[in-house]
Amino acid sequence: MLNETLSTLLARRSIRSFEDRPLSRETLEAILEAGRYAPSGGNSQLCHFTVILSRPTLDRLNQIATTSFAAMEETPGMYKSMANAIRRARTGPVDYWYGAPVLVVVSNRKSHPNAMADSACAIENMMVAATSLGIGSCWINQIKWLSDDPAMRICLEELGITGEECICGSVALGIPAQTPGAPLARTGNPVTWIE
């Protein structure tokens, strides 16, 4: 009983290798519009999308992230992706956006009680829209994890993300340089039916 929308949702994969080619403005605007049309609590529409196309800016963010993660201690029980970010940073410079030509940082008002949920809906909409257009995407959390780091905060403010905003996540976008694998078996996310 699959239709085009359901097929696109099931086809979406995280892409971690991108070609070094820009995306067209038209494609980016379509993906961003999908994010802007995501549901938001009370129709608040408070997500702020910062679209970074500048390679020097992406490199600067990577440098800040690498330095900051390398200075952190890995602790028992730490979220495995954060522990991996720390380990990778200790081996040298890291490209946390996997060479993507575009990084969309999604922020929201710190005071908004639905900030994360609203932003998550927007990010998912953008990732599904990207898939429908043959564009690869990957949810990126490193900037969110480091949003209170002084060097990262300075850089974010220079990009127009104010101190009144919290970083909820980012999306790397680009032309995939890898073939997406088959979906992993779903062994979690249980469903309970009450009839």
Side-chain angles (χ1 to χ4, degrees):
M1 194 124 179
L2 290 180
N3 61 24
E4 187 177 346
T5 301
L6 293 173
S7 295
T8 301
L9 285 165
L10 298 178
R12 190 216 57 80
R13 298 283 175 279
S14 293
I15 300 299
R16 293 182 176 88
S17 180
F18 296 92
E19 292 184 8
D20 186 20
R21 291 193 294 162
L23 298 180
S24 73
R25 186 71 172 221
E26 180 182 44
T27 297
L28 280 173
E29 287 175 352
I31 293 169
L32 289 160
E33 198 69 355
R36 294 184 67 236
Y37 270 78
S40 60
N43 195 30
S44 57
Q45 300 183 41
L46 295 174
C47 290
H48 176 192
F49 304 91
T50 303
V51 184
I52 304 170
L53 305 169
S54 160
R55 180 53 56 187
T57 301
L58 291 170
D59 291 344
R60 180 178 175 207
L61 287 166
N62 266 316
Q63 177 57 49
I64 293 167
T66 299
T67 301
S68 297
F69 281 123
M72 290 182 180
E73 291 298 320
E74 191 177 340
T75 58
M78 177 180 272
Y79 177 52
K80 71 178 185 176
S81 292
M82 184 174 276
N84 286 339
I86 293 169
R87 276 188 240 117
R88 288 173 63 203
R90 290 188 176 150
T91 64
V94 180
D95 183 351
Y96 289 105
W97 348 118
Y98 307 107
V102 180
L103 185 69
V104 181
V105 179
V106 181
S107 54
N108 207 304
R109 288 194 192 147
K110 287 180 179 177
S111 61
H112 181 45
N114 222 41
M116 188 62 199
D118 291 357
S119 298
C121 287
I123 290 170
E124 178 69 8
N125 267 22
M126 288 190 290
M127 293 172 75
V128 172
T131 299
S132 77
L133 297 170
I135 302 301
S137 67
C138 189
W139 187 308
I140 305 292
N141 277 319
Q142 283 77 4
I143 294 176
K144 175 188 181 306
W145 296 334
L146 295 173
S147 61
D148 291 328
D149 177 86
M152 183 64 76
R153 192 79 246 170
I154 289 168
C155 186
L156 293 174
E157 289 184 7
E158 289 173 2
L159 298 176
I161 301 170
T162 72
E164 300 301 311
E165 295 175 83
C166 58
I167 304 300
C168 296
S170 304
V171 182
L173 296 167
I175 297 166
Q178 69 181 82
T179 302
L184 299 175
R186 293 303 187 245
T187 58
N189 300 334
V191 176
T192 302
W193 295 73
I194 311 296
E195 296 186 39

